Amino acid sequence: MKQPTMNEDISKYPKYMVTFDKCLIPANWITSTSSYNHCYELHHFVRKSIRKNSPDFYDRVEYLQKLILMPAEMNKDLETMGEESFYKKYKMNKNDLVFSRLKWRDGYYD
């Protein structure tokens, strides 16, 4: 099965951006990958690897999917830093920016 392009995902899922004061606000002005400066990255809340490798599970959690525009460095740190170090640096809960199966099982996203 062909994976959707980023522009297809942009048209399908809600878009948000991280503000300077560390809030998530709607970013409906994003209509394509040409809508934003690429020193920022559009991040899938539910990782694309889940959609690709576990499509049945993805179907169960797709309702949580959103795209989050954030600085490229933050996106990189999101993937490489632990929860505590990420919070210390950005003052944001990592689980609010990237889906966690463990947190989902615990009802965090309800």
Side-chain angles (χ1 to χ4, degrees):
M1 182 172 145
K2 178 184 164 285
Q3 292 295 307
T5 66
M6 180 59 94
N7 282 331
E8 290 170 331
D9 282 352
I10 287 170
S11 68
K12 183 174 184 177
Y13 299 113
K15 282 108 19 220
Y16 294 86
M17 68 178 290
V18 175
T19 64
F20 290 111
D21 58 349
K22 310 301 185 213
C23 295
L24 282 182
I25 62 168
N28 297 326
W29 52 268
I30 299 173
T31 57
S32 74
T33 56
S34 60
S35 297
Y36 55 92
N37 181 320
H38 287 274
C39 64
Y40 292 85
E41 294 179 354
L42 202 53
H43 164 79
H44 286 79
F45 176 73
V46 181
R47 289 181 171 98
K48 292 187 297 183
S49 61
I50 294 174
R51 177 169 54 191
K52 180 181 177 184
N53 300 325
S54 304
D56 291 337
F57 179 70
Y58 185 79
D59 288 345
R60 294 174 58 199
V61 298
E62 184 180 16
Y63 72 97
L64 295 169
Q65 185 65 284
K66 58 187 162 223
L67 303 174
I68 305 170
L69 189 66
M70 62 182 67
E73 180 182 359
M74 178 186 257
N75 193 25
K76 178 182 170 278
D77 289 344
L78 190 60
E79 300 301 324
T80 59
M81 296 175 93
E83 286 183 47
E84 287 182 34
S85 55
F86 187 86
Y87 186 82
K88 188 180 281 187
K89 182 173 182 178
Y90 293 106
K91 305 296 186 250
M92 291 188 81
N93 187 327
K94 186 175 174 173
N95 295 301
D96 294 337
L97 300 174
V98 66
F99 176 78
S100 161
R101 285 183 195 224
L102 181 61
K103 293 291 185 183
W104 176 74
R105 284 187 207 113
D106 290 343
Y108 183 83
Y109 303 113
D110 292 339

PDB file of all heavy atoms in Angstrom, residues 6-17 24-31 42-46 51 58 61-69 97:
ATOM      1  N   MET A   6       3.299  13.982   2.387  1.00  0.00           N
ATOM      2  CA  MET A   6       3.093  14.979   3.442  1.00  0.00           C
ATOM      3  C   MET A   6       1.963  15.928   3.051  1.00  0.00           C
ATOM      4  O   MET A   6       1.130  16.272   3.886  1.00  0.00           O
ATOM      5  CB  MET A   6       4.382  15.743   3.725  1.00  0.00           C
ATOM      6  CG  MET A   6       4.231  16.784   4.817  1.00  0.00           C
ATOM      7  SD  MET A   6       3.702  16.100   6.412  1.00  0.00           S
ATOM      8  CE  MET A   6       5.285  15.871   7.172  1.00  0.00           C
ATOM      9  N   ASN A   7       1.893  16.327   1.793  1.00  0.00           N
ATOM     10  CA  ASN A   7       0.806  17.224   1.383  1.00  0.00           C
ATOM     11  C   ASN A   7      -0.558  16.557   1.528  1.00  0.00           C
ATOM     12  O   ASN A   7      -1.546  17.221   1.876  1.00  0.00           O
ATOM     13  CB  ASN A   7       1.027  17.740  -0.041  1.00  0.00           C
ATOM     14  CG  ASN A   7       2.049  18.850  -0.088  1.00  0.00           C
ATOM     15  OD1 ASN A   7       2.218  19.595   0.877  1.00  0.00           O
ATOM     16  ND2 ASN A   7       2.737  18.970  -1.198  1.00  0.00           N
ATOM     17  N   GLU A   8      -0.641  15.260   1.282  1.00  0.00           N
ATOM     18  CA  GLU A   8      -1.908  14.544   1.509  1.00  0.00           C
ATOM     19  C   GLU A   8      -2.254  14.526   2.995  1.00  0.00           C
ATOM     20  O   GLU A   8      -3.416  14.721   3.374  1.00  0.00           O
ATOM     21  CB  GLU A   8      -1.815  13.122   0.949  1.00  0.00           C
ATOM     22  CG  GLU A   8      -1.790  13.077  -0.566  1.00  0.00           C
ATOM     23  CD  GLU A   8      -1.460  11.713  -1.149  1.00  0.00           C
ATOM     24  OE1 GLU A   8      -0.742  10.921  -0.506  1.00  0.00           O
ATOM     25  OE2 GLU A   8      -1.936  11.439  -2.273  1.00  0.00           O
ATOM     26  N   ASP A   9      -1.247  14.322   3.834  1.00  0.00           N
ATOM     27  CA  ASP A   9      -1.492  14.350   5.282  1.00  0.00           C
ATOM     28  C   ASP A   9      -1.898  15.747   5.748  1.00  0.00           C
ATOM     29  O   ASP A   9      -2.762  15.893   6.606  1.00  0.00           O
ATOM     30  CB  ASP A   9      -0.256  13.877   6.048  1.00  0.00           C
ATOM     31  CG  ASP A   9      -0.102  12.365   6.034  1.00  0.00           C
ATOM     32  OD1 ASP A   9      -1.028  11.667   5.569  1.00  0.00           O
ATOM     33  OD2 ASP A   9       0.955  11.880   6.487  1.00  0.00           O
ATOM     34  N   ILE A  10      -1.282  16.760   5.177  1.00  0.00           N
ATOM     35  CA  ILE A  10      -1.640  18.146   5.530  1.00  0.00           C
ATOM     36  C   ILE A  10      -3.105  18.416   5.224  1.00  0.00           C
ATOM     37  O   ILE A  10      -3.801  19.072   6.000  1.00  0.00           O
ATOM     38  CB  ILE A  10      -0.714  19.146   4.798  1.00  0.00           C
ATOM     39  CG1 ILE A  10       0.682  19.114   5.424  1.00  0.00           C
ATOM     40  CG2 ILE A  10      -1.289  20.559   4.823  1.00  0.00           C
ATOM     41  CD1 ILE A  10       1.744  19.876   4.640  1.00  0.00           C
ATOM     42  N   SER A  11      -3.593  17.883   4.138  1.00  0.00           N
ATOM     43  CA  SER A  11      -5.000  18.120   3.792  1.00  0.00           C
ATOM     44  C   SER A  11      -5.951  17.285   4.653  1.00  0.00           C
ATOM     45  O   SER A  11      -7.125  17.622   4.783  1.00  0.00           O
ATOM     46  CB  SER A  11      -5.245  17.857   2.312  1.00  0.00           C
ATOM     47  OG  SER A  11      -5.112  16.492   2.021  1.00  0.00           O
ATOM     48  N   LYS A  12      -5.444  16.234   5.274  1.00  0.00           N
ATOM     49  CA  LYS A  12      -6.308  15.313   6.018  1.00  0.00           C
ATOM     50  C   LYS A  12      -6.365  15.579   7.526  1.00  0.00           C
ATOM     51  O   LYS A  12      -7.431  15.442   8.139  1.00  0.00           O
ATOM     52  CB  LYS A  12      -5.824  13.878   5.788  1.00  0.00           C
ATOM     53  CG  LYS A  12      -6.679  12.824   6.441  1.00  0.00           C
ATOM     54  CD  LYS A  12      -6.232  11.430   6.061  1.00  0.00           C
ATOM     55  CE  LYS A  12      -7.168  10.382   6.662  1.00  0.00           C
ATOM     56  NZ  LYS A  12      -6.798   9.030   6.263  1.00  0.00           N
ATOM     57  N   TYR A  13      -5.242  15.936   8.134  1.00  0.00           N
ATOM     58  CA  TYR A  13      -5.157  16.008   9.596  1.00  0.00           C
ATOM     59  C   TYR A  13      -5.087  17.439  10.102  1.00  0.00           C
ATOM     60  O   TYR A  13      -4.621  18.338   9.398  1.00  0.00           O
ATOM     61  CB  TYR A  13      -3.924  15.237  10.089  1.00  0.00           C
ATOM     62  CG  TYR A  13      -3.971  13.775   9.736  1.00  0.00           C
ATOM     63  CD1 TYR A  13      -3.068  13.234   8.821  1.00  0.00           C
ATOM     64  CD2 TYR A  13      -4.926  12.933  10.292  1.00  0.00           C
ATOM     65  CE1 TYR A  13      -3.115  11.889   8.484  1.00  0.00           C
ATOM     66  CE2 TYR A  13      -4.978  11.585   9.954  1.00  0.00           C
ATOM     67  CZ  TYR A  13      -4.072  11.076   9.053  1.00  0.00           C
ATOM     68  OH  TYR A  13      -4.120   9.757   8.712  1.00  0.00           O
ATOM     69  N   PRO A  14      -5.512  17.647  11.366  1.00  0.00           N
ATOM     70  CA  PRO A  14      -5.373  18.979  11.965  1.00  0.00           C
ATOM     71  C   PRO A  14      -3.900  19.369  12.076  1.00  0.00           C
ATOM     72  O   PRO A  14      -3.045  18.514  12.275  1.00  0.00           O
ATOM     73  CB  PRO A  14      -5.998  18.825  13.356  1.00  0.00           C
ATOM     74  CG  PRO A  14      -6.612  17.487  13.421  1.00  0.00           C
ATOM     75  CD  PRO A  14      -6.106  16.680  12.274  1.00  0.00           C
ATOM     76  N   LYS A  15      -3.647  20.662  11.936  1.00  0.00           N
ATOM     77  CA  LYS A  15      -2.298  21.183  12.029  1.00  0.00           C
ATOM     78  C   LYS A  15      -2.187  22.132  13.215  1.00  0.00           C
ATOM     79  O   LYS A  15      -3.097  22.912  13.468  1.00  0.00           O
ATOM     80  CB  LYS A  15      -1.906  21.940  10.747  1.00  0.00           C
ATOM     81  CG  LYS A  15      -1.535  21.044   9.623  1.00  0.00           C
ATOM     82  CD  LYS A  15      -2.466  20.910   8.468  1.00  0.00           C
ATOM     83  CE  LYS A  15      -3.528  21.881   8.157  1.00  0.00           C
ATOM     84  NZ  LYS A  15      -4.764  21.212   7.715  1.00  0.00           N
ATOM     85  N   TYR A  16      -1.053  22.028  13.927  1.00  0.00           N
ATOM     86  CA  TYR A  16      -0.765  22.882  15.076  1.00  0.00           C
ATOM     87  C   TYR A  16       0.659  23.377  14.965  1.00  0.00           C
ATOM     88  O   TYR A  16       1.460  22.832  14.209  1.00  0.00           O
ATOM     89  CB  TYR A  16      -0.923  22.099  16.390  1.00  0.00           C
ATOM     90  CG  TYR A  16      -2.338  21.674  16.652  1.00  0.00           C
ATOM     91  CD1 TYR A  16      -2.838  20.488  16.121  1.00  0.00           C
ATOM     92  CD2 TYR A  16      -3.182  22.472  17.407  1.00  0.00           C
ATOM     93  CE1 TYR A  16      -4.152  20.103  16.347  1.00  0.00           C
ATOM     94  CE2 TYR A  16      -4.502  22.090  17.633  1.00  0.00           C
ATOM     95  CZ  TYR A  16      -4.974  20.910  17.105  1.00  0.00           C
ATOM     96  OH  TYR A  16      -6.269  20.537  17.327  1.00  0.00           O
ATOM     97  N   MET A  17       0.969  24.397  15.746  1.00  0.00           N
ATOM     98  CA  MET A  17       2.355  24.848  15.832  1.00  0.00           C
ATOM     99  C   MET A  17       2.693  25.106  17.286  1.00  0.00           C
ATOM    100  O   MET A  17       1.832  25.439  18.095  1.00  0.00           O
ATOM    101  CB  MET A  17       2.608  26.081  14.974  1.00  0.00           C
ATOM    102  CG  MET A  17       1.918  27.335  15.429  1.00  0.00           C
ATOM    103  SD  MET A  17       2.310  28.764  14.393  1.00  0.00           S
ATOM    104  CE  MET A  17       3.994  29.043  14.831  1.00  0.00           C
ATOM    105  N   LEU A  24       0.550  24.822  22.129  1.00  0.00           N
ATOM    106  CA  LEU A  24       0.142  24.328  20.811  1.00  0.00           C
ATOM    107  C   LEU A  24      -1.083  25.118  20.387  1.00  0.00           C
ATOM    108  O   LEU A  24      -2.076  25.164  21.110  1.00  0.00           O
ATOM    109  CB  LEU A  24      -0.227  22.846  20.875  1.00  0.00           C
ATOM    110  CG  LEU A  24       0.902  21.844  20.918  1.00  0.00           C
ATOM    111  CD1 LEU A  24       0.337  20.426  20.928  1.00  0.00           C
ATOM    112  CD2 LEU A  24       1.842  22.004  19.758  1.00  0.00           C
ATOM    113  N   ILE A  25      -0.978  25.749  19.219  1.00  0.00           N
ATOM    114  CA  ILE A  25      -2.122  26.491  18.699  1.00  0.00           C
ATOM    115  C   ILE A  25      -2.431  25.988  17.291  1.00  0.00           C
ATOM    116  O   ILE A  25      -1.544  25.499  16.593  1.00  0.00           O
ATOM    117  CB  ILE A  25      -1.872  28.019  18.693  1.00  0.00           C
ATOM    118  CG1 ILE A  25      -0.695  28.370  17.775  1.00  0.00           C
ATOM    119  CG2 ILE A  25      -1.662  28.543  20.106  1.00  0.00           C
ATOM    120  CD1 ILE A  25      -0.571  29.859  17.485  1.00  0.00           C
ATOM    121  N   PRO A  26      -3.700  26.080  16.870  1.00  0.00           N
ATOM    122  CA  PRO A  26      -4.048  25.656  15.514  1.00  0.00           C
ATOM    123  C   PRO A  26      -3.242  26.425  14.477  1.00  0.00           C
ATOM    124  O   PRO A  26      -2.939  27.609  14.649  1.00  0.00           O
ATOM    125  CB  PRO A  26      -5.536  25.985  15.409  1.00  0.00           C
ATOM    126  CG  PRO A  26      -6.023  26.017  16.814  1.00  0.00           C
ATOM    127  CD  PRO A  26      -4.868  26.543  17.622  1.00  0.00           C
ATOM    128  N   ALA A  27      -2.878  25.731  13.410  1.00  0.00           N
ATOM    129  CA  ALA A  27      -2.111  26.340  12.316  1.00  0.00           C
ATOM    130  C   ALA A  27      -2.800  26.007  10.991  1.00  0.00           C
ATOM    131  O   ALA A  27      -2.227  25.367  10.119  1.00  0.00           O
ATOM    132  CB  ALA A  27      -0.674  25.847  12.340  1.00  0.00           C
ATOM    133  N   ASN A  28      -4.040  26.450  10.874  1.00  0.00           N
ATOM    134  CA  ASN A  28      -4.831  26.139   9.681  1.00  0.00           C
ATOM    135  C   ASN A  28      -4.292  26.807   8.425  1.00  0.00           C
ATOM    136  O   ASN A  28      -4.717  26.464   7.316  1.00  0.00           O
ATOM    137  CB  ASN A  28      -6.294  26.526   9.916  1.00  0.00           C
ATOM    138  CG  ASN A  28      -6.894  25.711  11.044  1.00  0.00           C
ATOM    139  OD1 ASN A  28      -6.552  24.547  11.222  1.00  0.00           O
ATOM    140  ND2 ASN A  28      -7.754  26.327  11.832  1.00  0.00           N
ATOM    141  N   TRP A  29      -3.387  27.746   8.584  1.00  0.00           N
ATOM    142  CA  TRP A  29      -2.769  28.416   7.440  1.00  0.00           C
ATOM    143  C   TRP A  29      -1.819  27.488   6.685  1.00  0.00           C
ATOM    144  O   TRP A  29      -1.419  27.791   5.561  1.00  0.00           O
ATOM    145  CB  TRP A  29      -2.047  29.684   7.884  1.00  0.00           C
ATOM    146  CG  TRP A  29      -1.081  29.477   9.019  1.00  0.00           C
ATOM    147  CD1 TRP A  29      -1.364  29.603  10.358  1.00  0.00           C
ATOM    148  CD2 TRP A  29       0.287  29.084   8.933  1.00  0.00           C
ATOM    149  NE1 TRP A  29      -0.239  29.321  11.099  1.00  0.00           N
ATOM    150  CE2 TRP A  29       0.788  28.993  10.252  1.00  0.00           C
ATOM    151  CE3 TRP A  29       1.144  28.803   7.878  1.00  0.00           C
ATOM    152  CZ2 TRP A  29       2.099  28.634  10.535  1.00  0.00           C
ATOM    153  CZ3 TRP A  29       2.455  28.442   8.168  1.00  0.00           C
ATOM    154  CH2 TRP A  29       2.916  28.371   9.471  1.00  0.00           C
ATOM    155  N   ILE A  30      -1.458  26.353   7.299  1.00  0.00           N
ATOM    156  CA  ILE A  30      -0.598  25.395   6.603  1.00  0.00           C
ATOM    157  C   ILE A  30      -1.475  24.596   5.641  1.00  0.00           C
ATOM    158  O   ILE A  30      -2.352  23.843   6.058  1.00  0.00           O
ATOM    159  CB  ILE A  30       0.113  24.452   7.598  1.00  0.00           C
ATOM    160  CG1 ILE A  30       1.005  25.242   8.541  1.00  0.00           C
ATOM    161  CG2 ILE A  30       0.912  23.389   6.843  1.00  0.00           C
ATOM    162  CD1 ILE A  30       1.613  24.404   9.671  1.00  0.00           C
ATOM    163  N   THR A  31      -1.233  24.794   4.354  1.00  0.00           N
ATOM    164  CA  THR A  31      -2.020  24.084   3.336  1.00  0.00           C
ATOM    165  C   THR A  31      -1.166  23.161   2.473  1.00  0.00           C
ATOM    166  O   THR A  31      -1.700  22.341   1.740  1.00  0.00           O
ATOM    167  CB  THR A  31      -2.754  25.090   2.433  1.00  0.00           C
ATOM    168  OG1 THR A  31      -1.793  25.966   1.832  1.00  0.00           O
ATOM    169  CG2 THR A  31      -3.775  25.901   3.240  1.00  0.00           C
ATOM    170  N   LEU A  42       7.404  19.806  10.131  1.00  0.00           N
ATOM    171  CA  LEU A  42       6.055  19.366  10.424  1.00  0.00           C
ATOM    172  C   LEU A  42       6.135  17.913  10.882  1.00  0.00           C
ATOM    173  O   LEU A  42       6.545  17.035  10.132  1.00  0.00           O
ATOM    174  CB  LEU A  42       5.180  19.516   9.185  1.00  0.00           C
ATOM    175  CG  LEU A  42       3.683  19.598   9.388  1.00  0.00           C
ATOM    176  CD1 LEU A  42       3.301  20.683  10.390  1.00  0.00           C
ATOM    177  CD2 LEU A  42       2.996  19.846   8.065  1.00  0.00           C
ATOM    178  N   HIS A  43       5.801  17.705  12.122  1.00  0.00           N
ATOM    179  CA  HIS A  43       5.990  16.426  12.804  1.00  0.00           C
ATOM    180  C   HIS A  43       4.649  15.700  12.942  1.00  0.00           C
ATOM    181  O   HIS A  43       3.654  16.305  13.326  1.00  0.00           O
ATOM    182  CB  HIS A  43       6.590  16.725  14.190  1.00  0.00           C
ATOM    183  CG  HIS A  43       6.514  15.618  15.163  1.00  0.00           C
ATOM    184  ND1 HIS A  43       7.386  14.563  15.138  1.00  0.00           N
ATOM    185  CD2 HIS A  43       5.670  15.390  16.199  1.00  0.00           C
ATOM    186  CE1 HIS A  43       7.086  13.735  16.130  1.00  0.00           C
ATOM    187  NE2 HIS A  43       6.049  14.221  16.774  1.00  0.00           N
ATOM    188  N   HIS A  44       4.627  14.410  12.642  1.00  0.00           N
ATOM    189  CA  HIS A  44       3.431  13.582  12.868  1.00  0.00           C
ATOM    190  C   HIS A  44       3.376  13.195  14.344  1.00  0.00           C
ATOM    191  O   HIS A  44       4.326  12.613  14.872  1.00  0.00           O
ATOM    192  CB  HIS A  44       3.498  12.307  12.037  1.00  0.00           C
ATOM    193  CG  HIS A  44       3.251  12.518  10.592  1.00  0.00           C
ATOM    194  ND1 HIS A  44       4.221  13.001   9.730  1.00  0.00           N
ATOM    195  CD2 HIS A  44       2.148  12.298   9.839  1.00  0.00           C
ATOM    196  CE1 HIS A  44       3.713  13.065   8.516  1.00  0.00           C
ATOM    197  NE2 HIS A  44       2.461  12.649   8.546  1.00  0.00           N
ATOM    198  N   PHE A  45       2.268  13.511  15.004  1.00  0.00           N
ATOM    199  CA  PHE A  45       2.098  13.123  16.404  1.00  0.00           C
ATOM    200  C   PHE A  45       2.171  11.607  16.548  1.00  0.00           C
ATOM    201  O   PHE A  45       2.910  11.082  17.376  1.00  0.00           O
ATOM    202  CB  PHE A  45       0.756  13.660  16.930  1.00  0.00           C
ATOM    203  CG  PHE A  45       0.442  13.228  18.330  1.00  0.00           C
ATOM    204  CD1 PHE A  45       1.127  13.764  19.402  1.00  0.00           C
ATOM    205  CD2 PHE A  45      -0.538  12.279  18.577  1.00  0.00           C
ATOM    206  CE1 PHE A  45       0.852  13.362  20.703  1.00  0.00           C
ATOM    207  CE2 PHE A  45      -0.823  11.872  19.865  1.00  0.00           C
ATOM    208  CZ  PHE A  45      -0.130  12.423  20.930  1.00  0.00           C
ATOM    209  N   VAL A  46       1.384  10.888  15.758  1.00  0.00           N
ATOM    210  CA  VAL A  46       1.478   9.427  15.716  1.00  0.00           C
ATOM    211  C   VAL A  46       2.474   9.114  14.597  1.00  0.00           C
ATOM    212  O   VAL A  46       2.228   9.446  13.435  1.00  0.00           O
ATOM    213  CB  VAL A  46       0.115   8.754  15.438  1.00  0.00           C
ATOM    214  CG1 VAL A  46       0.258   7.244  15.416  1.00  0.00           C
ATOM    215  CG2 VAL A  46      -0.926   9.175  16.480  1.00  0.00           C
ATOM    216  N   ARG A  51       1.967   3.816  11.241  1.00  0.00           N
ATOM    217  CA  ARG A  51       1.039   3.661  10.102  1.00  0.00           C
ATOM    218  C   ARG A  51       1.574   2.613   9.123  1.00  0.00           C
ATOM    219  O   ARG A  51       0.817   1.799   8.612  1.00  0.00           O
ATOM    220  CB  ARG A  51       0.847   5.013   9.410  1.00  0.00           C
ATOM    221  CG  ARG A  51      -0.026   4.927   8.186  1.00  0.00           C
ATOM    222  CD  ARG A  51      -0.447   6.264   7.630  1.00  0.00           C
ATOM    223  NE  ARG A  51       0.661   7.143   7.366  1.00  0.00           N
ATOM    224  CZ  ARG A  51       0.502   8.434   7.075  1.00  0.00           C
ATOM    225  NH1 ARG A  51      -0.699   8.970   7.033  1.00  0.00           N
ATOM    226  NH2 ARG A  51       1.549   9.190   6.839  1.00  0.00           N
ATOM    227  N   TYR A  58      -2.714   1.432  13.856  1.00  0.00           N
ATOM    228  CA  TYR A  58      -2.853   2.820  13.433  1.00  0.00           C
ATOM    229  C   TYR A  58      -4.322   3.182  13.241  1.00  0.00           C
ATOM    230  O   TYR A  58      -4.752   4.275  13.622  1.00  0.00           O
ATOM    231  CB  TYR A  58      -2.067   3.092  12.149  1.00  0.00           C
ATOM    232  CG  TYR A  58      -2.096   4.547  11.749  1.00  0.00           C
ATOM    233  CD1 TYR A  58      -1.272   5.471  12.371  1.00  0.00           C
ATOM    234  CD2 TYR A  58      -2.975   4.997  10.770  1.00  0.00           C
ATOM    235  CE1 TYR A  58      -1.307   6.810  12.035  1.00  0.00           C
ATOM    236  CE2 TYR A  58      -3.023   6.336  10.420  1.00  0.00           C
ATOM    237  CZ  TYR A  58      -2.191   7.235  11.053  1.00  0.00           C
ATOM    238  OH  TYR A  58      -2.250   8.562  10.717  1.00  0.00           O
ATOM    239  N   VAL A  61      -5.758   4.325  16.455  1.00  0.00           N
ATOM    240  CA  VAL A  61      -5.291   5.572  17.070  1.00  0.00           C
ATOM    241  C   VAL A  61      -5.232   6.748  16.089  1.00  0.00           C
ATOM    242  O   VAL A  61      -4.839   7.849  16.466  1.00  0.00           O
ATOM    243  CB  VAL A  61      -3.909   5.382  17.745  1.00  0.00           C
ATOM    244  CG1 VAL A  61      -4.002   4.365  18.875  1.00  0.00           C
ATOM    245  CG2 VAL A  61      -2.835   4.995  16.747  1.00  0.00           C
ATOM    246  N   GLU A  62      -5.666   6.522  14.864  1.00  0.00           N
ATOM    247  CA  GLU A  62      -5.586   7.591  13.858  1.00  0.00           C
ATOM    248  C   GLU A  62      -6.361   8.836  14.280  1.00  0.00           C
ATOM    249  O   GLU A  62      -5.980   9.958  13.931  1.00  0.00           O
ATOM    250  CB  GLU A  62      -6.094   7.094  12.503  1.00  0.00           C
ATOM    251  CG  GLU A  62      -5.951   8.131  11.417  1.00  0.00           C
ATOM    252  CD  GLU A  62      -6.446   7.657  10.064  1.00  0.00           C
ATOM    253  OE1 GLU A  62      -7.170   6.647   9.987  1.00  0.00           O
ATOM    254  OE2 GLU A  62      -6.084   8.314   9.077  1.00  0.00           O
ATOM    255  N   TYR A  63      -7.412   8.674  15.077  1.00  0.00           N
ATOM    256  CA  TYR A  63      -8.194   9.827  15.516  1.00  0.00           C
ATOM    257  C   TYR A  63      -7.341  10.816  16.325  1.00  0.00           C
ATOM    258  O   TYR A  63      -7.693  11.992  16.465  1.00  0.00           O
ATOM    259  CB  TYR A  63      -9.420   9.383  16.336  1.00  0.00           C
ATOM    260  CG  TYR A  63      -9.093   8.872  17.712  1.00  0.00           C
ATOM    261  CD1 TYR A  63      -9.184   9.706  18.822  1.00  0.00           C
ATOM    262  CD2 TYR A  63      -8.680   7.556  17.916  1.00  0.00           C
ATOM    263  CE1 TYR A  63      -8.869   9.239  20.095  1.00  0.00           C
ATOM    264  CE2 TYR A  63      -8.372   7.087  19.171  1.00  0.00           C
ATOM    265  CZ  TYR A  63      -8.464   7.936  20.257  1.00  0.00           C
ATOM    266  OH  TYR A  63      -8.149   7.473  21.520  1.00  0.00           O
ATOM    267  N   LEU A  64      -6.197  10.351  16.838  1.00  0.00           N
ATOM    268  CA  LEU A  64      -5.291  11.221  17.589  1.00  0.00           C
ATOM    269  C   LEU A  64      -4.303  11.967  16.687  1.00  0.00           C
ATOM    270  O   LEU A  64      -3.629  12.884  17.147  1.00  0.00           O
ATOM    271  CB  LEU A  64      -4.489  10.400  18.611  1.00  0.00           C
ATOM    272  CG  LEU A  64      -5.270   9.755  19.735  1.00  0.00           C
ATOM    273  CD1 LEU A  64      -4.397   8.766  20.499  1.00  0.00           C
ATOM    274  CD2 LEU A  64      -5.832  10.823  20.672  1.00  0.00           C
ATOM    275  N   GLN A  65      -4.209  11.556  15.436  1.00  0.00           N
ATOM    276  CA  GLN A  65      -3.183  12.106  14.543  1.00  0.00           C
ATOM    277  C   GLN A  65      -3.362  13.603  14.355  1.00  0.00           C
ATOM    278  O   GLN A  65      -4.481  14.104  14.209  1.00  0.00           O
ATOM    279  CB  GLN A  65      -3.211  11.404  13.179  1.00  0.00           C
ATOM    280  CG  GLN A  65      -2.117  11.820  12.230  1.00  0.00           C
ATOM    281  CD  GLN A  65      -0.732  11.455  12.710  1.00  0.00           C
ATOM    282  OE1 GLN A  65      -0.196  12.114  13.595  1.00  0.00           O
ATOM    283  NE2 GLN A  65      -0.162  10.408  12.146  1.00  0.00           N
ATOM    284  N   LYS A  66      -2.254  14.290  14.397  1.00  0.00           N
ATOM    285  CA  LYS A  66      -2.188  15.709  14.097  1.00  0.00           C
ATOM    286  C   LYS A  66      -0.772  15.995  13.631  1.00  0.00           C
ATOM    287  O   LYS A  66       0.150  15.211  13.881  1.00  0.00           O
ATOM    288  CB  LYS A  66      -2.558  16.567  15.300  1.00  0.00           C
ATOM    289  CG  LYS A  66      -1.696  16.329  16.521  1.00  0.00           C
ATOM    290  CD  LYS A  66      -2.245  17.094  17.711  1.00  0.00           C
ATOM    291  CE  LYS A  66      -1.677  16.536  18.997  1.00  0.00           C
ATOM    292  NZ  LYS A  66      -2.676  16.415  20.032  1.00  0.00           N
ATOM    293  N   LEU A  67      -0.601  17.085  12.942  1.00  0.00           N
ATOM    294  CA  LEU A  67       0.714  17.506  12.480  1.00  0.00           C
ATOM    295  C   LEU A  67       1.110  18.727  13.294  1.00  0.00           C
ATOM    296  O   LEU A  67       0.303  19.639  13.480  1.00  0.00           O
ATOM    297  CB  LEU A  67       0.680  17.837  10.993  1.00  0.00           C
ATOM    298  CG  LEU A  67       0.187  16.694  10.100  1.00  0.00           C
ATOM    299  CD1 LEU A  67       0.049  17.180   8.664  1.00  0.00           C
ATOM    300  CD2 LEU A  67       1.104  15.499  10.183  1.00  0.00           C
ATOM    301  N   ILE A  68       2.343  18.716  13.784  1.00  0.00           N
ATOM    302  CA  ILE A  68       2.795  19.782  14.676  1.00  0.00           C
ATOM    303  C   ILE A  68       4.039  20.441  14.079  1.00  0.00           C
ATOM    304  O   ILE A  68       5.059  19.783  13.898  1.00  0.00           O
ATOM    305  CB  ILE A  68       3.104  19.238  16.082  1.00  0.00           C
ATOM    306  CG1 ILE A  68       1.889  18.504  16.654  1.00  0.00           C
ATOM    307  CG2 ILE A  68       3.538  20.371  17.010  1.00  0.00           C
ATOM    308  CD1 ILE A  68       2.166  17.725  17.931  1.00  0.00           C
ATOM    309  N   LEU A  69       3.926  21.732  13.793  1.00  0.00           N
ATOM    310  CA  LEU A  69       5.054  22.498  13.286  1.00  0.00           C
ATOM    311  C   LEU A  69       5.910  22.947  14.458  1.00  0.00           C
ATOM    312  O   LEU A  69       5.404  23.550  15.415  1.00  0.00           O
ATOM    313  CB  LEU A  69       4.553  23.710  12.506  1.00  0.00           C
ATOM    314  CG  LEU A  69       5.598  24.500  11.733  1.00  0.00           C
ATOM    315  CD1 LEU A  69       6.177  23.659  10.587  1.00  0.00           C
ATOM    316  CD2 LEU A  69       4.998  25.790  11.204  1.00  0.00           C
ATOM    317  N   LEU A  97       3.553  15.871  22.415  1.00  0.00           N
ATOM    318  CA  LEU A  97       4.071  16.133  21.072  1.00  0.00           C
ATOM    319  C   LEU A  97       4.296  14.877  20.249  1.00  0.00           C
ATOM    320  O   LEU A  97       4.388  14.948  19.029  1.00  0.00           O
ATOM    321  CB  LEU A  97       5.391  16.913  21.165  1.00  0.00           C
ATOM    322  CG  LEU A  97       5.303  18.262  21.859  1.00  0.00           C
ATOM    323  CD1 LEU A  97       6.696  18.859  22.027  1.00  0.00           C
ATOM    324  CD2 LEU A  97       4.400  19.204  21.081  1.00  0.00           C
TER     325      LEU A  97
END
